[in-house]
Amino acid sequence: MNSESSIAFGIINGDITEFGRVNSWNSFFSVYNKLNFPYYFGLGNHDYANNINDCVSPNVSLSSKNGCASNSVRNMINAIDSYRLTMRNFNADWNYDSKYKWRGHGSLAYSWDYNSVHFVQLQFHPIYKVNIDSWDNTAKQNITSSLNWLREDLRQARLRGVRDIVLNAHIFWKDFKEKNVNASENEKKMLQAILETYKPIVVFQGHLHTPIVDLAMADFPVESPRLTTGAAFDAKYDVAEYNNEGLKISRMDGNQFPPKKTQEIILRRPTQAPICKVKGERGKSGDIYVDQALLDDWVVFKNVATGTALETDKKGRLKVANKDSSANSFQSWYLKKVNPEVPYFSSAYQIVNKYTQRALDSDFNNQLYTNPIGMNNRHQQWVPIKVENGQIMWKNLATGFFLESAAGKLYTIPGYDIFNKHKAWVLEDAFNRTSTSPNSQYYKAKRMDSYLNSFPTSPGESDYYWEHMGNHSYLNKSPCIGW
């Protein structure tokens, strides 16, 4: 591969080792660190999934029968730390324990931008979940599904202008039955919806050791092709070249020098869903709009799981109130848009209390409080992520943690758990306590002047100006990129 002088970087989709042992990883690094270009790897079933409670590594202290699996995860954590320093718009689904470096949770999925392409590494597969324990509890690793993280990662990539998406995983097929980890029907629907909405130009996988081309995935009725790459032990690899038309992929055999091209595959760029337009935005016939902006008025934050309201006292100390009242200005908050130039679904917000005029603030210790409004304080900036039925999760821009309430307490916590109702909030009008966040609806303009007219009064209806295109759901394809 070093004979390929134009390679910008390489991607290795798992099965780096047979069992994840320290000496195997050391051998890998001693060879691949001699490449003339950077490489970015993911984990396969042989690196960790096959070794759960089944492989002791004598080089990993106090790690019990999960020593080999834990060792592979440690190498991945180290790599993520390194990649973060050099890769543009790097994003990783891993949350560190504040006390122990090797403790944490997340899927270990990560992504980055290169030129106009967004690359994603989904590890073994996007639905894999397992707890990796250790004898001394200093290396407990909770591996979670990456689906929720993936959808938000791709949404943010498209909103910042990325044109094409390349997904990578060790395996990528619909049932994911490896090691008794069966995907639920909702997980299958979510993954289907992600593929249909964001249309990756290609999905690369490994695992099978044999080069395979699926230009139309039988198990996913979507446009995106899936390519299985050959194995390094057989000197098989792919070289991908990107241009304005799409991808040219050369399948290479390195069993001779110079390496021989055995196949060439041309992948055209898919037609991407447009960015949603919003009410009042100038458009034309055929443009897709999404309704339901966040209220430009006083609102109450009510937790879906507990029914309690976010409240502060005169000194700005936070609490959760079991009773809400339209006369209680300590429960009234204003959403101040951080970036007025972008659509409401693209911006972060400061959450400002009506009485104290202090903003909701947070730190890396999961603590919540209020402080005087800071112009560029990312700890006071919150990103709304709409989930089901108009409910919203609020992610702190500085920490990446989510606003949560349980057992009478307020705090932030990591993890894209879109079905965790303790992280879900509804906004109510502060004056009449009616919901201001019903499920968002999509509409297609039927006329050139549709944008001058309001959406239909009843959600789900069409009229002379607008054709209803469905409602926001994580289980269905979105006709445009917004929430």
Side-chain angles (χ1 to χ4, degrees):
M1 287 187 284
N2 276 342
S3 65
E4 304 278 355
S5 60
S6 62
I7 292 179
F9 59 86
I11 296 173
I12 306 173
N13 286 326
D15 278 2
I16 309 299
T17 68
E18 184 72 21
F19 297 105
R21 299 186 187 279
V22 171
N23 58 346
S24 298
W25 276 101
N26 289 341
S27 296
F28 165 76
F29 289 127
S30 70
V31 172
Y32 279 80
N33 285 352
K34 296 176 183 177
L35 288 171
N36 293 335
F37 49 84
Y39 64 90
Y40 311 124
F41 68 86
L43 302 179
N45 56 300
H46 278 280
D47 300 312
Y48 62 154
N50 288 8
N51 308 316
I52 302 300
N53 295 320
D54 193 38
C55 183
V56 176
S57 179
N59 308 84
V60 181
S61 175
L62 298 177
S63 56
S64 72
K65 293 185 293 184
N66 284 319
C68 300
S70 180
N71 181 56
S72 293
V73 171
R74 292 180 188 207
N75 280 299
M76 192 71 256
I77 293 171
N78 277 336
I80 286 173
D81 286 344
S82 174
Y83 300 161
R84 195 185 305 275
L85 301 176
T86 59
M87 297 163 85
R88 187 163 62 92
N89 291 320
F90 184 80
N91 183 27
D93 184 25
W94 185 253
N95 303 283
Y96 300 90
D97 185 281
S98 59
K99 187 176 180 181
Y100 300 107
K101 176 178 173 60
W102 304 120
R103 285 183 57 166
H105 75 277
S107 66
L108 294 169
Y110 63 91
S111 66
W112 72 100
D113 293 346
Y114 183 79
N115 293 336
S116 59
V117 185
H118 185 65
F119 292 86
V120 184
Q121 173 58 254
L122 295 170
Q123 306 295 341
F124 177 25
H125 65 69
I127 304 173
Y128 184 58
K129 304 178 277 287
V130 70
N131 285 316
I132 302 175
D133 294 319
S134 64
W135 279 331
D136 63 352
N137 212 34
T138 62
K140 185 175 182 179
Q141 297 141 350
N142 179 20
I143 306 299
T144 63
S145 164
S146 62
L147 283 184
N148 303 327
W149 172 90
L150 175 62
R151 186 179 181 106
E152 179 62 11
D153 177 77
L154 299 185
R155 183 180 82 96
Q156 293 294 340
R158 290 282 285 114
L159 289 177
R160 67 172 174 264
V162 163
R163 176 61 179 85
D164 290 306
I165 293 164
V166 173
L167 298 184
N168 295 273
H170 186 62
I171 64 170
F172 198 96
W173 51 67
K174 196 163 188 177
D175 288 333
F176 296 113
K177 291 183 177 178
E178 293 284 319
K179 305 303 293 183
N180 299 316
V181 181
N182 296 322
S184 69
E185 288 305 310
N186 272 353
E187 286 173 326
K188 294 177 186 179
K189 289 178 181 178
M190 284 181 64
L191 186 54
Q192 177 84 29
I194 290 170
L195 294 174
E196 290 180 337
T197 299
Y198 295 97
K199 299 180 182 178
I201 191 171
V202 66
V203 178
F204 285 109
Q205 71 168 4
H207 191 62
L208 300 178
H209 304 165
T210 302
I212 300 172
V213 179
D214 294 318
L215 293 180
M217 290 190 263
D219 47 348
F220 287 112
V222 295
E223 298 178 34
S224 303
R226 174 181 55 204
L227 300 187
T228 305
T229 54
F233 65 73
D234 198 25
K236 300 295 195 300
Y237 61 96
D238 292 345
V239 176
E241 300 175 61
Y242 182 80
N243 56 41
N244 289 333
E245 299 297 322
L247 275 176
K248 181 178 79 173
I249 297 166
S250 300
R251 313 222 95 163
M252 306 299 294
D253 184 346
N255 284 299
Q256 60 272 311
F257 187 82
K260 178 183 177 182
K261 182 193 294 187
T262 60
Q263 186 180 13
E264 184 174 281
I265 306 160
I266 303 296
L267 301 177
R268 300 300 179 189
R269 300 170 73 183
T271 301
Q272 293 287 357
I275 304 300
C276 299
K277 292 185 177 294
V278 296
K279 183 178 180 180
E281 184 178 355
R282 189 180 185 89
K284 60 184 185 302
S285 176
D287 285 346
I288 309 297
Y289 286 69
V290 63
D291 72 351
Q292 192 47 50
L294 298 173
L295 261 196
D296 190 22
D297 208 340
W298 301 109
V299 295
V300 172
F301 281 69
K302 183 172 283 189
N303 188 265
V304 173
T306 65
T308 55
L310 179 64
E311 186 175 325
T312 185
D313 62 17
K314 292 181 180 180
K315 294 184 178 180
R317 294 172 296 197
L318 288 167
K319 63 178 181 178
V320 286
N322 292 320
K323 295 181 179 180
D324 54 7
S325 168
S326 59
N328 187 349
S329 59
F330 293 106
Q331 293 179 3
S332 298
W333 303 83
Y334 178 78
L335 298 175
K336 183 180 179 182
K337 200 175 179 186
V338 172
N339 188 349
E341 304 301 319
V342 302
Y344 57 85
F345 49 73
S346 298
S347 181
Y349 292 80
Q350 287 180 304
I351 302 172
V352 182
N353 185 260
K354 180 179 181 179
Y355 185 92
T356 65
Q357 290 298 298
R358 293 163 66 93
L360 187 64
D361 207 327
S362 184
D363 59 28
F364 283 99
N365 294 319
N366 310 105
Q367 300 300 307
L368 277 167
Y369 36 84
T370 64
N371 270 323
I373 297 173
M375 291 296 294
N376 298 306
N377 185 351
R378 290 166 60 89
H379 290 269
Q380 292 183 2
Q381 298 175 12
W382 300 82
V383 177
I385 301 173
K386 271 208 171 184
V387 288
E388 298 293 293
N389 303 314
Q391 299 162 10
I392 302 173
M393 297 196 309
W394 293 91
K395 185 179 77 168
N396 188 268
L397 198 59
T399 67
F401 298 169
F402 291 85
L403 179 64
E404 180 167 319
S405 178
K409 296 181 180 180
L410 279 167
Y411 48 89
T412 60
I413 192 169
Y416 287 81
D417 309 322
I418 65 171
F419 299 112
N420 179 356
K421 298 306 181 184
H422 291 278
K423 288 182 178 175
W425 301 79
V426 293
L427 303 184
E428 294 185 347
D429 186 292
F431 299 102
N432 58 31
R433 289 309 201 258
T434 57
S435 175
T436 69
S437 52
N439 212 4
S440 293
Q441 308 293 318
Y442 298 104
Y443 296 95
K444 182 165 73 173
K446 297 167 71 173
R447 298 174 56 88
M448 294 297 290
D449 60 347
S450 290
Y451 72 94
L452 297 172
N453 296 270
S454 299
F455 298 126
T457 304
S458 300
E461 292 187 352
S462 300
D463 63 15
Y464 180 73
Y465 294 101
W466 300 102
E467 177 187 349
H468 184 250
M469 298 290 289
N471 63 292
H472 175 77
S473 171
Y474 267 50
L475 302 181
N476 298 317
K477 173 186 176 182
S478 299
C480 60
I481 309 301
W483 291 112

